[in-house]
PDB file of all heavy atoms in Angstrom:
ATOM      1  N   PRO A  54     -46.707 116.711  22.632  1.00 96.00           N
ATOM      2  CA  PRO A  54     -47.567 117.286  23.668  1.00 96.00           C
ATOM      3  C   PRO A  54     -46.629 117.991  24.670  1.00 96.00           C
ATOM      4  O   PRO A  54     -47.008 119.029  25.183  1.00 96.00           O
ATOM      5  CB  PRO A  54     -48.191 116.014  24.307  1.00 96.00           C
ATOM      6  CG  PRO A  54     -48.307 115.081  23.171  1.00 96.00           C
ATOM      7  CD  PRO A  54     -47.027 115.156  22.446  1.00 96.00           C
ATOM      8  N   GLN A  55     -45.430 117.538  24.965  1.00 97.00           N
ATOM      9  CA  GLN A  55     -44.463 118.219  25.861  1.00 97.00           C
ATOM     10  C   GLN A  55     -44.081 119.559  25.254  1.00 97.00           C
ATOM     11  O   GLN A  55     -44.037 120.485  25.987  1.00 97.00           O
ATOM     12  CB  GLN A  55     -43.310 117.363  26.138  1.00 97.00           C
ATOM     13  CG  GLN A  55     -43.600 116.148  27.002  1.00 97.00           C
ATOM     14  CD  GLN A  55     -44.072 114.903  26.189  1.00 97.00           C
ATOM     15  OE1 GLN A  55     -44.474 115.032  24.998  1.00 97.00           O
ATOM     16  NE2 GLN A  55     -44.138 113.797  26.877  1.00 97.00           N
ATOM     17  N   ILE A  75     -53.954 120.013  28.403  1.00 98.00           N
ATOM     18  CA  ILE A  75     -54.594 118.732  27.888  1.00 98.00           C
ATOM     19  C   ILE A  75     -54.350 118.785  26.330  1.00 98.00           C
ATOM     20  O   ILE A  75     -54.783 119.681  25.727  1.00 98.00           O
ATOM     21  CB  ILE A  75     -56.026 118.580  28.287  1.00 98.00           C
ATOM     22  CG1 ILE A  75     -56.183 118.679  29.857  1.00 98.00           C
ATOM     23  CG2 ILE A  75     -56.566 117.270  27.749  1.00 98.00           C
ATOM     24  CD1 ILE A  75     -57.624 119.047  30.263  1.00 98.00           C
ATOM     25  N   VAL A  76     -53.674 117.727  25.884  1.00 97.00           N
ATOM     26  CA  VAL A  76     -53.476 117.625  24.443  1.00 97.00           C
ATOM     27  C   VAL A  76     -54.255 116.400  23.887  1.00 97.00           C
ATOM     28  O   VAL A  76     -54.080 115.367  24.438  1.00 97.00           O
ATOM     29  CB  VAL A  76     -51.974 117.503  24.024  1.00 97.00           C
ATOM     30  CG1 VAL A  76     -51.755 117.464  22.554  1.00 97.00           C
ATOM     31  CG2 VAL A  76     -51.184 118.733  24.618  1.00 97.00           C
ATOM     32  N   ASN A  78     -56.262 114.564  20.212  1.00 94.00           N
ATOM     33  CA  ASN A  78     -56.279 114.405  18.663  1.00 94.00           C
ATOM     34  C   ASN A  78     -57.406 115.252  18.194  1.00 94.00           C
ATOM     35  O   ASN A  78     -58.251 115.713  18.946  1.00 94.00           O
ATOM     36  CB  ASN A  78     -56.505 112.978  18.314  1.00 94.00           C
ATOM     37  CG  ASN A  78     -55.309 112.101  18.678  1.00 94.00           C
ATOM     38  OD1 ASN A  78     -55.489 111.311  19.659  1.00 94.00           O
ATOM     39  ND2 ASN A  78     -54.186 112.202  18.020  1.00 94.00           N
ATOM     40  N   VAL A  89     -63.634 115.780  25.776  1.00 94.00           N
ATOM     41  CA  VAL A  89     -62.286 115.901  26.425  1.00 94.00           C
ATOM     42  C   VAL A  89     -62.186 114.902  27.585  1.00 94.00           C
ATOM     43  O   VAL A  89     -61.164 114.223  27.675  1.00 94.00           O
ATOM     44  CB  VAL A  89     -61.954 117.361  27.012  1.00 94.00           C
ATOM     45  CG1 VAL A  89     -60.747 117.419  27.702  1.00 94.00           C
ATOM     46  CG2 VAL A  89     -61.907 118.321  25.761  1.00 94.00           C
ATOM     47  N   MET A  90     -63.192 114.802  28.361  1.00 93.00           N
ATOM     48  CA  MET A  90     -63.182 113.728  29.539  1.00 93.00           C
ATOM     49  C   MET A  90     -63.057 112.460  28.984  1.00 93.00           C
ATOM     50  O   MET A  90     -62.301 111.564  29.477  1.00 93.00           O
ATOM     51  CB  MET A  90     -64.468 114.018  30.394  1.00 93.00           C
ATOM     52  CG  MET A  90     -64.379 113.156  31.583  1.00 93.00           C
ATOM     53  SD  MET A  90     -63.183 113.878  32.684  1.00 93.00           S
ATOM     54  CE  MET A  90     -63.065 112.613  34.035  1.00 93.00           C
ATOM     55  N   HIS A  91     -63.751 112.111  27.884  1.00 90.00           N
ATOM     56  CA  HIS A  91     -63.648 110.740  27.290  1.00 90.00           C
ATOM     57  C   HIS A  91     -62.258 110.515  26.740  1.00 90.00           C
ATOM     58  O   HIS A  91     -61.673 109.408  27.028  1.00 90.00           O
ATOM     59  CB  HIS A  91     -64.652 110.678  26.126  1.00 90.00           C
ATOM     60  CG  HIS A  91     -64.683 109.304  25.436  1.00 90.00           C
ATOM     61  ND1 HIS A  91     -63.822 109.058  24.358  1.00 90.00           N
ATOM     62  CD2 HIS A  91     -65.243 108.174  25.669  1.00 90.00           C
ATOM     63  CE1 HIS A  91     -63.936 107.813  23.967  1.00 90.00           C
ATOM     64  NE2 HIS A  91     -64.823 107.271  24.721  1.00 90.00           N
ATOM     65  N   ALA A  92     -61.567 111.544  26.222  1.00 93.00           N
ATOM     66  CA  ALA A  92     -60.244 111.367  25.764  1.00 93.00           C
ATOM     67  C   ALA A  92     -59.263 111.136  26.893  1.00 93.00           C
ATOM     68  O   ALA A  92     -58.347 110.296  26.798  1.00 93.00           O
ATOM     69  CB  ALA A  92     -59.803 112.606  24.952  1.00 93.00           C
ATOM     70  N   ILE A  93     -59.524 111.757  28.031  1.00 95.00           N
ATOM     71  CA  ILE A  93     -58.716 111.521  29.252  1.00 95.00           C
ATOM     72  C   ILE A  93     -58.796 110.090  29.724  1.00 95.00           C
ATOM     73  O   ILE A  93     -57.781 109.411  29.856  1.00 95.00           O
ATOM     74  CB  ILE A  93     -59.017 112.504  30.343  1.00 95.00           C
ATOM     75  CG1 ILE A  93     -58.579 113.960  29.959  1.00 95.00           C
ATOM     76  CG2 ILE A  93     -58.424 112.068  31.641  1.00 95.00           C
ATOM     77  CD1 ILE A  93     -59.113 114.996  30.880  1.00 95.00           C
ATOM     78  N   VAL A  94     -59.983 109.565  29.821  1.00 93.00           N
ATOM     79  CA  VAL A  94     -60.190 108.225  30.278  1.00 93.00           C
ATOM     80  C   VAL A  94     -59.942 107.176  29.190  1.00 93.00           C
ATOM     81  O   VAL A  94     -59.619 105.995  29.618  1.00 93.00           O
ATOM     82  CB  VAL A  94     -61.473 107.962  30.974  1.00 93.00           C
ATOM     83  CG1 VAL A  94     -61.777 108.942  32.193  1.00 93.00           C
ATOM     84  CG2 VAL A  94     -62.718 108.218  30.004  1.00 93.00           C
ATOM     85  N   ALA A  95     -59.977 107.484  27.966  1.00 90.00           N
ATOM     86  CA  ALA A  95     -59.807 106.446  26.910  1.00 90.00           C
ATOM     87  C   ALA A  95     -58.338 106.408  26.363  1.00 90.00           C
ATOM     88  O   ALA A  95     -57.927 105.374  25.877  1.00 90.00           O
ATOM     89  CB  ALA A  95     -60.751 106.741  25.832  1.00 90.00           C
ATOM     90  N   LYS A  96     -57.748 107.683  26.294  1.00 92.00           N
ATOM     91  CA  LYS A  96     -56.498 107.704  25.656  1.00 92.00           C
ATOM     92  C   LYS A  96     -55.275 108.032  26.554  1.00 92.00           C
ATOM     93  O   LYS A  96     -54.088 107.840  26.138  1.00 92.00           O
ATOM     94  CB  LYS A  96     -56.536 108.776  24.533  1.00 92.00           C
ATOM     95  CG  LYS A  96     -57.523 108.484  23.449  1.00 92.00           C
ATOM     96  CD  LYS A  96     -57.439 109.705  22.460  1.00 92.00           C
ATOM     97  CE  LYS A  96     -58.558 109.515  21.380  1.00 92.00           C
ATOM     98  NZ  LYS A  96     -58.569 110.631  20.436  1.00 92.00           N
ATOM     99  N   CYS A  97     -55.492 108.474  27.757  1.00 94.00           N
ATOM    100  CA  CYS A  97     -54.437 108.966  28.586  1.00 94.00           C
ATOM    101  C   CYS A  97     -54.099 107.857  29.558  1.00 94.00           C
ATOM    102  O   CYS A  97     -54.740 107.592  30.582  1.00 94.00           O
ATOM    103  CB  CYS A  97     -54.845 110.200  29.365  1.00 94.00           C
ATOM    104  SG  CYS A  97     -53.558 110.966  30.339  1.00 94.00           S
ATOM    105  N   HIS A  98     -52.884 107.180  29.372  1.00 94.00           N
ATOM    106  CA  HIS A  98     -52.487 106.141  30.212  1.00 94.00           C
ATOM    107  C   HIS A  98     -52.040 106.787  31.630  1.00 94.00           C
ATOM    108  O   HIS A  98     -51.211 107.701  31.620  1.00 94.00           O
ATOM    109  CB  HIS A  98     -51.266 105.422  29.603  1.00 94.00           C
ATOM    110  CG  HIS A  98     -50.837 104.243  30.336  1.00 94.00           C
ATOM    111  ND1 HIS A  98     -50.221 104.238  31.495  1.00 94.00           N
ATOM    112  CD2 HIS A  98     -51.127 102.851  30.024  1.00 94.00           C
ATOM    113  CE1 HIS A  98     -49.962 103.027  31.939  1.00 94.00           C
ATOM    114  NE2 HIS A  98     -50.442 102.215  31.019  1.00 94.00           N
ATOM    115  N   PRO A  99     -52.657 106.382  32.706  1.00 95.00           N
ATOM    116  CA  PRO A  99     -52.325 107.045  33.948  1.00 95.00           C
ATOM    117  C   PRO A  99     -50.897 106.990  34.442  1.00 95.00           C
ATOM    118  O   PRO A  99     -50.461 108.052  35.008  1.00 95.00           O
ATOM    119  CB  PRO A  99     -53.127 106.172  34.988  1.00 95.00           C
ATOM    120  CG  PRO A  99     -54.250 105.553  34.209  1.00 95.00           C
ATOM    121  CD  PRO A  99     -53.702 105.334  32.764  1.00 95.00           C
ATOM    122  N   ALA A 100     -50.159 106.101  34.090  1.00 96.00           N
ATOM    123  CA  ALA A 100     -48.664 106.041  34.404  1.00 96.00           C
ATOM    124  C   ALA A 100     -47.800 106.735  33.440  1.00 96.00           C
ATOM    125  O   ALA A 100     -46.747 107.143  33.693  1.00 96.00           O
ATOM    126  CB  ALA A 100     -48.310 104.643  34.723  1.00 96.00           C
ATOM    127  N   ARG A 101     -48.223 106.570  32.167  1.00 94.00           N
ATOM    128  CA  ARG A 101     -47.286 106.955  31.086  1.00 94.00           C
ATOM    129  C   ARG A 101     -47.611 108.398  30.545  1.00 94.00           C
ATOM    130  O   ARG A 101     -46.701 109.139  30.090  1.00 94.00           O
ATOM    131  CB  ARG A 101     -47.315 106.013  29.966  1.00 94.00           C
ATOM    132  CG  ARG A 101     -46.387 106.204  28.835  1.00 94.00           C
ATOM    133  CD  ARG A 101     -46.619 105.124  27.713  1.00 94.00           C
ATOM    134  NE  ARG A 101     -47.936 105.183  27.222  1.00 94.00           N
ATOM    135  CZ  ARG A 101     -48.714 104.118  27.038  1.00 94.00           C
ATOM    136  NH1 ARG A 101     -48.336 102.998  27.391  1.00 94.00           N
ATOM    137  NH2 ARG A 101     -49.965 104.299  26.554  1.00 94.00           N
ATOM    138  N   ASP A 102     -48.847 108.770  30.544  1.00 96.00           N
ATOM    139  CA  ASP A 102     -49.297 110.038  29.846  1.00 96.00           C
ATOM    140  C   ASP A 102     -49.651 111.204  30.670  1.00 96.00           C
ATOM    141  O   ASP A 102     -50.057 112.226  30.123  1.00 96.00           O
ATOM    142  CB  ASP A 102     -50.448 109.682  28.928  1.00 96.00           C
ATOM    143  CG  ASP A 102     -50.032 108.581  27.779  1.00 96.00           C
ATOM    144  OD1 ASP A 102     -48.851 108.664  27.412  1.00 96.00           O
ATOM    145  OD2 ASP A 102     -50.920 107.790  27.345  1.00 96.00           O
ATOM    146  N   ILE A 103     -49.496 111.075  31.932  1.00 97.00           N
ATOM    147  CA  ILE A 103     -49.662 112.191  32.887  1.00 97.00           C
ATOM    148  C   ILE A 103     -48.339 112.597  33.360  1.00 97.00           C
ATOM    149  O   ILE A 103     -47.640 111.898  34.017  1.00 97.00           O
ATOM    150  CB  ILE A 103     -50.570 111.878  34.074  1.00 97.00           C
ATOM    151  CG1 ILE A 103     -52.072 111.408  33.472  1.00 97.00           C
ATOM    152  CG2 ILE A 103     -50.779 113.095  35.023  1.00 97.00           C
ATOM    153  CD1 ILE A 103     -52.892 110.969  34.592  1.00 97.00           C
ATOM    154  N   HIS A 104     -48.012 113.851  33.007  1.00 97.00           N
ATOM    155  CA  HIS A 104     -46.655 114.449  33.291  1.00 97.00           C
ATOM    156  C   HIS A 104     -46.797 115.535  34.327  1.00 97.00           C
ATOM    157  O   HIS A 104     -47.402 116.586  34.006  1.00 97.00           O
ATOM    158  CB  HIS A 104     -45.964 114.860  32.083  1.00 97.00           C
ATOM    159  CG  HIS A 104     -45.943 113.818  30.911  1.00 97.00           C
ATOM    160  ND1 HIS A 104     -44.994 112.921  30.852  1.00 97.00           N
ATOM    161  CD2 HIS A 104     -46.776 113.642  29.936  1.00 97.00           C
ATOM    162  CE1 HIS A 104     -45.095 112.168  29.884  1.00 97.00           C
ATOM    163  NE2 HIS A 104     -46.245 112.564  29.235  1.00 97.00           N
ATOM    164  N   VAL A 105     -46.266 115.365  35.523  1.00 96.00           N
ATOM    165  CA  VAL A 105     -46.357 116.431  36.549  1.00 96.00           C
ATOM    166  C   VAL A 105     -45.010 117.068  36.703  1.00 96.00           C
ATOM    167  O   VAL A 105     -43.981 116.530  36.732  1.00 96.00           O
ATOM    168  CB  VAL A 105     -46.693 115.726  37.919  1.00 96.00           C
ATOM    169  CG1 VAL A 105     -46.759 116.739  39.022  1.00 96.00           C
ATOM    170  CG2 VAL A 105     -48.091 114.938  37.743  1.00 96.00           C
ATOM    171  N   VAL A 133     -49.247 120.352  35.091  1.00 97.00           N
ATOM    172  CA  VAL A 133     -49.487 119.040  34.695  1.00 97.00           C
ATOM    173  C   VAL A 133     -49.860 118.993  33.200  1.00 97.00           C
ATOM    174  O   VAL A 133     -50.621 119.883  32.797  1.00 97.00           O
ATOM    175  CB  VAL A 133     -50.549 118.223  35.595  1.00 97.00           C
ATOM    176  CG1 VAL A 133     -51.932 118.972  35.453  1.00 97.00           C
ATOM    177  CG2 VAL A 133     -50.719 116.796  35.301  1.00 97.00           C
ATOM    178  N   LEU A 134     -49.435 117.985  32.570  1.00 98.00           N
ATOM    179  CA  LEU A 134     -49.723 117.789  31.169  1.00 98.00           C
ATOM    180  C   LEU A 134     -50.459 116.458  31.024  1.00 98.00           C
ATOM    181  O   LEU A 134     -49.844 115.372  31.566  1.00 98.00           O
ATOM    182  CB  LEU A 134     -48.405 117.721  30.216  1.00 98.00           C
ATOM    183  CG  LEU A 134     -48.604 117.079  28.860  1.00 98.00           C
ATOM    184  CD1 LEU A 134     -49.493 117.855  27.959  1.00 98.00           C
ATOM    185  CD2 LEU A 134     -47.219 116.887  28.287  1.00 98.00           C
ATOM    186  N   PHE A 135     -51.684 116.462  30.349  1.00 98.00           N
ATOM    187  CA  PHE A 135     -52.352 115.234  30.080  1.00 98.00           C
ATOM    188  C   PHE A 135     -52.238 114.958  28.564  1.00 98.00           C
ATOM    189  O   PHE A 135     -52.691 115.675  27.799  1.00 98.00           O
ATOM    190  CB  PHE A 135     -53.888 115.386  30.484  1.00 98.00           C
ATOM    191  CG  PHE A 135     -54.102 115.424  31.952  1.00 98.00           C
ATOM    192  CD1 PHE A 135     -54.143 116.610  32.579  1.00 98.00           C
ATOM    193  CD2 PHE A 135     -54.380 114.273  32.702  1.00 98.00           C
ATOM    194  CE1 PHE A 135     -54.375 116.747  33.918  1.00 98.00           C
ATOM    195  CE2 PHE A 135     -54.656 114.408  34.086  1.00 98.00           C
ATOM    196  CZ  PHE A 135     -54.635 115.546  34.726  1.00 98.00           C
ATOM    197  N   ASP A 136     -51.470 113.966  28.299  1.00 97.00           N
ATOM    198  CA  ASP A 136     -51.283 113.619  26.918  1.00 97.00           C
ATOM    199  C   ASP A 136     -52.332 112.567  26.462  1.00 97.00           C
ATOM    200  O   ASP A 136     -52.296 111.454  26.773  1.00 97.00           O
ATOM    201  CB  ASP A 136     -49.877 112.950  26.613  1.00 97.00           C
ATOM    202  CG  ASP A 136     -49.622 112.472  25.194  1.00 97.00           C
ATOM    203  OD1 ASP A 136     -50.526 112.685  24.391  1.00 97.00           O
ATOM    204  OD2 ASP A 136     -48.476 111.973  24.924  1.00 97.00           O
ATOM    205  N   CYS A 137     -53.437 113.118  25.771  1.00 96.00           N
ATOM    206  CA  CYS A 137     -54.576 112.386  25.384  1.00 96.00           C
ATOM    207  C   CYS A 137     -54.610 112.067  23.976  1.00 96.00           C
ATOM    208  O   CYS A 137     -55.577 112.059  23.317  1.00 96.00           O
ATOM    209  CB  CYS A 137     -55.823 112.945  25.906  1.00 96.00           C
ATOM    210  SG  CYS A 137     -55.851 113.367  27.619  1.00 96.00           S
ATOM    211  N   THR A 138     -53.362 111.887  23.419  1.00 94.00           N
ATOM    212  CA  THR A 138     -53.269 111.412  22.062  1.00 94.00           C
ATOM    213  C   THR A 138     -52.948 110.013  21.808  1.00 94.00           C
ATOM    214  O   THR A 138     -52.389 109.416  22.760  1.00 94.00           O
ATOM    215  CB  THR A 138     -52.215 112.314  21.250  1.00 94.00           C
ATOM    216  OG1 THR A 138     -50.943 112.065  21.911  1.00 94.00           O
ATOM    217  CG2 THR A 138     -52.518 113.849  21.323  1.00 94.00           C
ATOM    218  N   TRP A 139     -53.248 109.494  20.750  1.00 90.00           N
ATOM    219  CA  TRP A 139     -52.906 108.006  20.552  1.00 90.00           C
ATOM    220  C   TRP A 139     -51.352 107.983  20.436  1.00 90.00           C
ATOM    221  O   TRP A 139     -50.694 108.942  19.932  1.00 90.00           O
ATOM    222  CB  TRP A 139     -53.485 107.512  19.181  1.00 90.00           C
ATOM    223  CG  TRP A 139     -55.025 107.416  19.286  1.00 90.00           C
ATOM    224  CD1 TRP A 139     -55.915 107.965  18.527  1.00 90.00           C
ATOM    225  CD2 TRP A 139     -55.781 106.556  20.155  1.00 90.00           C
ATOM    226  NE1 TRP A 139     -57.198 107.689  18.934  1.00 90.00           N
ATOM    227  CE2 TRP A 139     -57.115 106.754  19.871  1.00 90.00           C
ATOM    228  CE3 TRP A 139     -55.433 105.627  21.237  1.00 90.00           C
ATOM    229  CZ2 TRP A 139     -58.104 106.051  20.561  1.00 90.00           C
ATOM    230  CZ3 TRP A 139     -56.370 105.035  21.856  1.00 90.00           C
ATOM    231  CH2 TRP A 139     -57.760 105.255  21.547  1.00 90.00           C
ATOM    232  N   PRO A 140     -50.794 106.909  20.841  1.00 88.00           N
ATOM    233  CA  PRO A 140     -49.291 106.728  20.664  1.00 88.00           C
ATOM    234  C   PRO A 140     -48.881 106.970  19.198  1.00 88.00           C
ATOM    235  O   PRO A 140     -49.510 106.399  18.371  1.00 88.00           O
ATOM    236  CB  PRO A 140     -48.985 105.308  21.220  1.00 88.00           C
ATOM    237  CG  PRO A 140     -50.181 105.030  22.142  1.00 88.00           C
ATOM    238  CD  PRO A 140     -51.380 105.769  21.570  1.00 88.00           C
TER     239      PRO A 140
END
Side-chain angles (χ1 to χ4, degrees):
Q55 290 84 346
I75 303 166
V76 180
N78 296 106
V89 172
M90 189 66 188
H91 181 269
I93 290 171
V94 300
K96 298 179 184 179
C97 185
H98 188 285
R101 184 184 59 233
D102 296 330
I103 299 174
H104 307 275
V105 178
V133 64
L134 163 64
F135 292 88
D136 178 357
C137 304
T138 60
W139 293 118

